[in-house]
Amino acid sequence: MSFRRWRIAKSDKTLSRSVAQRFGIDGFAAHLLTSRGFCSDGLICDMLGLCDDTAEFIDPYDIIDMDKAVTRIRRAIDNFERIAVYGDYDVDGVTSTALLYSYLESSGANVMYYIPDREGEGYGLNRGAIDILHENNVDLIITVDNGISAAVEVAYAGSLGIDVVITDHHQEGEALPDAIAVVDPHRKDSPCEFKEYAGVGVAFKLVCALEGDSMTVMENCGDLVALGTVADVVSLTGENRRLVRLGLRQLQNSCRPGICALIDMAGMTGRKITSTSIAFVIAPRLNAAGRLGSASHAVRLLITDDDDEALMLAEELTEKNRERQSIEQTIDREVTEMLEKDNSAIYDRVIVIAGEKWNGGVIGIFASRICERYGKPCFIISYEGEKAKGSGRSIEGFSLYEAISACSEHLTGFGGHTLAAGINLRTENIDSFRRAINEYAEKKYPVMPSPEINIDCQLPPSAITMQLCEASQLLEPFGADNPVPMIAVMGLKITDVYGAGGGKHQRLTLERGGTLITAMKFSTPDEDFPFVAGDVVDIAITLDKSTYRNRECLTLVIRDIRLSETHFDEMNDGRRLFERMMRGETLTEEEKNRLRPTRAVLGAVYRAVYGGYGGGAEVLGCRMKRVGVEFAAMLTSLRILSECGLIDVSDDGSVICVEAANRDGQNQKTSPENVPTALRVGYRNI
């Protein structure tokens, strides 16, 4: 995780006390509600699940064109016209397809489903697929989780005599498709009170309109609605919250053989199914089908009534997920090797990394990982021959969609949102795209946004109790717009650090004011953990309750940790200045002075990392500041020492690793006065 600014939510204690008293809830739960903007009685009841879940749902006909869609679909069912449910290859698209297909089949419709191939066809309606459906005598296409931008394709289907009903949840483009109906709550002319449905949510509303009884539909397919809604990371507020809450109950005791088999393969049988387990355990397995093979297998898993077929398909998806993880590791190694040869990309405002024949179904995952590592917008591009495609992820404050729109002359196609986007381009234009998007970033964002971690409150260690964890669980299910509560505990002295899980994780004992707490830092090996007993640190934690030997246990999970003396703005300014130097930008003499280390500073940095160092740059920076070395000068010193052949430095965004240079016994040391970084800042032997 990149170095992040901590944002601690403001507290209105008077309002929180009032909410706690009115609703009879713990003060911490009341604080979470009010600090997140859930202040009205209606919103609070909704968030706490105090409303009657069996009450009427929002009228599906509030979504514009729903009446037109229902009329056309009913006619197709009555006349036994051939219907194709046209979905998408992610979990939202797969669950949408399974939901609508199952309902139409049970209604006696002549129905099939079609999922485009990610690699061969890409997202959404395409002419080739329409031709296939035409050959299958399809009279009506119903899209789920796509179609709002398919004006050309809908017109082509119409030319073949195929009607199209669109159900989607994405933003409309310049013009709506000329379809029989365009059912999308995000239409500019849509009057519906709640718009944040996932694709499966819109498909659910369509089936509710067809059936005329929302609760019956929910009882039959709530598990699918919960899966797709959570996996698509839409807002877990409003009616989505109710859909997920009801759906989670069904998932706990699902009657679908496929879901039961998938839960069993994931090792979740008998355990509580939460939105978190959907996001990190179940959804990746369903997604693996579309990433590495045919998403149709995932649809089949969700609709089958055969236990043996369900087991076979669940095993196949689990194996695909393992294969996906292996491919990610391969790409990770290749990217690491590329950056070891030339790490200039990590100093750009927008990171663009390209590789040959990288799997198109995985590059989006890897883009998210690189974005998180370096705290910057990132595009991962895979090319083969003359064609290339890329997937981008961003941080809050930098709109990817606006950025790629400004660079569209270098692309053959693009689409997406503020924080995620996809692009198509010619291989020969990868470098020009990289330059263009960084030039755009320089002009649009003179100071690039910084990654942040949002913290709900700051508490003393004595307040971290099981009661606090149980109070926070009142706000489940967690997800977008209602994340797992994050707590900051400041000024803790580390009394003990020891490796767990064979040294892959760290267990810390910390103390403040006579109170001892124990916390876990997962996925952090011994060599990458720079903190030692005696350090005074701040930690950002989440709370997890588990059962061990029939006893409830509270686990404190460290999401971020820093020395208490850390000054983010000062260090972030130093990092930005260092990156400007590495990009070759013009610097003032004052800026060069901040970057320029003396021989004494070089010596201090060298002694600090002699014998090796692994950990965040900011931790090393705090230790160096104690001896008078500023952060910018420390970063420059590490670079100079590396170029001199004295140390090897690698930087993956969250951890810098320093070790003695291995030159195969050859003396390749160079004087500081002769290396590129020293020359950039005018280093002088002082």
Side-chain angles (χ1 to χ4, degrees):
M1 184 69 69
S2 60
F3 186 32
R4 297 177 292 175
R5 177 184 281 110
W6 289 20
R7 292 285 190 193
I8 301 178
K10 295 181 180 179
S11 173
D12 186 332
K13 294 182 180 179
T14 301
L15 179 59
S16 295
R17 280 195 294 267
S18 173
V19 168
Q21 291 170 359
R22 290 205 320 275
F23 290 89
I25 59 175
D26 185 273
F28 180 58
H31 164 76
L32 292 174
L33 288 165
T34 56
S35 65
R36 294 179 177 190
F38 306 115
C39 300
S40 70
D41 286 3
L43 286 173
I44 292 171
C45 286
D46 181 50
M47 294 301 295
L48 296 177
L50 300 178
C51 302
D52 183 6
D53 281 337
T54 63
E56 281 298 310
F57 287 85
I58 295 173
D59 188 344
Y61 288 97
D62 283 358
I63 305 177
I64 198 166
D65 272 9
M66 185 66 79
D67 54 340
K68 297 177 183 177
V70 168
T71 299
R72 181 63 184 92
I73 294 169
R74 282 178 175 164
R75 192 174 86 218
I77 296 172
D78 293 342
N79 295 335
F80 207 62
E81 296 179 63
R82 186 68 162 157
I83 302 172
V85 178
Y86 193 104
D88 186 28
Y89 36 69
D90 66 2
V91 177
D92 189 19
V94 163
T95 52
S96 301
T97 303
L99 189 158
L100 184 55
Y101 172 85
S102 297
Y103 175 78
L104 292 174
E105 185 184 48
S106 68
S107 300
N110 177 15
V111 62
M112 62 176 287
Y113 62 84
Y114 187 94
I115 307 287
D117 177 73
R118 182 191 291 265
E119 288 296 303
E121 299 175 85
Y123 169 78
L125 276 172
N126 65 83
R127 290 173 65 104
I130 294 170
D131 287 336
I132 292 172
L133 297 179
H134 181 57
E135 292 170 4
N136 279 270
N137 300 313
V138 166
D139 302 293
L140 174 64
I141 295 172
I142 308 173
T143 71
V144 287
D145 193 29
N146 72 95
I148 192 68
S149 60
V152 174
E153 291 76 13
V154 169
Y156 178 67
S159 72
L160 299 177
I162 302 175
D163 286 343
V164 180
V165 166
I166 290 170
T167 74
D168 201 349
H169 71 121
H170 296 98
Q171 300 285 344
E172 68 174 277
E174 294 182 1
L176 289 175
D178 187 19
I180 297 296
V182 180
V183 181
D184 187 330
H186 282 291
R187 280 180 54 169
K188 295 172 184 176
D189 56 352
S190 175
C192 55
E193 61 179 282
F194 184 74
K195 300 176 182 289
E196 303 306 317
Y197 300 105
V200 71
V202 180
F204 166 76
K205 303 303 284 189
L206 172 63
V207 172
C208 291
L210 288 164
E211 181 66 16
D213 184 349
S214 296
M215 186 50 70
T216 297
V217 177
M218 191 64 197
E219 290 171 354
N220 290 330
C221 64
D223 47 1
L224 296 177
V225 177
L227 279 174
T229 299
V230 172
D232 214 49
V233 201
V234 293
S235 177
L236 284 196
T237 58
E239 190 164 84
N240 278 347
R241 189 164 184 79
R242 186 178 172 201
L243 295 177
V244 171
R245 192 160 47 226
L246 288 169
L248 284 171
R249 295 173 193 168
Q250 292 183 32
L251 276 170
Q252 199 68 52
N253 300 287
S254 180
C255 296
R256 296 180 195 275
I259 288 180
C260 292
L262 200 63
I263 289 173
D264 186 55
M265 291 296 297
M268 294 292 295
T269 300
R271 296 167 61 183
K272 183 180 179 181
I273 304 297
T274 65
S275 55
T276 301
S277 52
I278 288 177
F280 294 101
V281 180
I282 301 173
R285 287 168 166 78
L286 283 171
N287 255 331
R291 294 188 187 281
L292 302 183
S294 171
S296 296
H297 293 186
V299 176
R300 188 64 201 163
L301 175 76
L302 296 176
I303 65 176
T304 184
D305 293 323
D306 185 278
D307 290 339
D308 291 335
E309 183 183 31
L311 179 60
M312 178 192 70
L313 289 167
E315 288 175 342
E316 178 184 319
L317 264 60
T318 299
E319 182 56 38
K320 287 290 184 185
N321 194 47
R322 293 193 191 100
E323 184 182 346
R324 185 264 304 170
Q325 292 169 332
S326 176
I327 291 172
E328 285 182 45
Q329 292 171 359
T330 299
I331 296 176
D332 203 346
R333 285 194 300 271
E334 291 182 14
V335 169
T336 299
E337 291 172 0
M338 291 168 62
L339 293 178
E340 284 176 351
K341 294 177 182 177
D342 178 12
N343 65 357
S344 59
I346 68 173
Y347 301 121
D348 284 344
R349 289 174 170 82
V350 180
I351 296 174
V352 178
I353 300 175
E356 187 172 12
K357 296 182 180 178
W358 284 343
N359 185 282
V362 172
I363 58 175
I365 297 174
F366 202 71
S368 295
R369 187 175 301 171
I370 295 294
C371 176
E372 191 168 301
R373 278 185 193 172
Y374 292 98
K376 295 180 178 184
C378 169
F379 278 91
I380 301 295
I381 298 175
S382 174
Y383 62 88
E384 183 174 2
E386 297 180 349
K387 295 183 179 180
K389 61 186 297 186
S391 186
R393 298 293 184 272
S394 190
I395 62 174
E396 290 290 344
F398 186 96
S399 171
L400 275 192
Y401 188 77
E402 290 181 7
I404 57 178
S405 297
C407 305
S408 59
E409 68 269 22
H410 302 279
L411 307 173
T412 58
F414 65 92
H417 306 285
T418 300
L419 299 179
I423 58 173
N424 292 296
L425 67 165
R426 296 179 62 82
T427 301
E428 62 186 20
N429 288 336
I430 293 175
D431 287 340
S432 62
F433 169 71
R434 174 184 171 182
R435 288 192 298 272
I437 199 166
N438 274 283
E439 288 170 1
Y440 165 84
E442 182 178 5
K443 293 176 182 177
K444 179 76 172 180
Y445 301 88
V447 177
M448 285 287 286
S450 301
E452 298 180 346
I453 178 171
N454 293 313
I455 296 174
D456 290 287
C457 66
Q458 178 181 331
L459 293 174
S462 57
I464 310 301
T465 62
M466 181 67 78
Q467 180 184 353
L468 194 73
C469 180
E470 291 171 346
S472 70
Q473 290 176 337
L474 291 175
L475 272 71
E476 286 188 338
F478 297 118
D481 295 333
N482 183 45
V484 175
M486 188 85 70
I487 302 166
V489 189
M490 309 293 206
L492 294 162
K493 183 178 181 179
I494 298 177
T495 61
D496 195 14
V497 181
Y498 51 98
K504 296 179 181 178
H505 318 294
Q506 303 300 314
R507 185 186 299 273
L508 280 68
T509 304
L510 308 109
E511 183 271 338
R512 188 182 112 191
T515 300
L516 284 174
I517 60 173
T518 300
M520 291 295 302
K521 183 73 172 71
F522 290 107
S523 302
T524 306
D526 296 339
E527 61 271 18
D528 291 344
F529 193 72
F531 302 95
V532 296
D535 281 342
V536 178
V537 299
D538 305 331
I539 58 175
I541 59 172
T542 56
L543 308 180
D544 186 30
K545 182 172 69 172
S546 59
T547 302
Y548 180 70
R549 293 182 179 177
N550 297 321
R551 292 183 58 190
E552 286 190 336
C553 304
L554 177 64
T555 301
L556 280 55
V557 181
I558 297 175
R559 302 300 180 181
D560 205 1
I561 179 170
R562 67 187 187 187
L563 290 171
S564 293
E565 63 204 85
T566 301
H567 297 284
F568 176 87
D569 289 333
E570 179 182 315
M571 288 187 171
N572 198 40
D573 182 59
R575 183 192 295 274
R576 285 173 171 155
L577 180 57
F578 174 74
E579 290 184 347
R580 286 182 55 208
M581 176 193 69
M582 295 304 298
R583 291 194 295 264
E585 295 180 12
T586 302
L587 303 175
T588 66
E589 193 60 32
E590 180 184 354
E591 289 170 334
K592 289 181 181 180
N593 284 333
R594 289 177 57 196
L595 289 160
R596 183 184 296 141
T598 64
R599 182 169 289 274
V601 167
L602 281 173
V605 174
Y606 181 71
R607 287 190 296 274
V609 299
Y610 180 79
Y613 173 81
E618 70 279 3
V619 177
L620 182 60
C622 285
R623 301 197 193 284
M624 295 311 304
K625 189 168 184 180
R626 295 171 188 168
V627 295
V629 178
E630 296 300 319
F631 193 64
M634 183 203 77
L635 294 176
T636 308
S637 297
L638 289 172
R639 182 77 183 190
I640 290 174
L641 291 168
S642 176
E643 291 172 357
C644 285
L646 293 168
I647 59 174
D648 284 327
V649 181
S650 63
D651 180 358
D652 76 351
S654 56
V655 174
I656 59 170
C657 293
V658 184
E659 57 186 17
N662 181 6
R663 304 301 180 196
D664 298 324
Q666 298 178 14
N667 184 4
Q668 297 186 10
K669 295 178 183 177
T670 304
S671 171
E673 290 89 344
N674 298 322
V675 298
T677 300
L679 293 172
R680 280 193 180 107
V681 295
Y683 169 81
R684 295 186 298 273
N685 183 3
I686 300 174

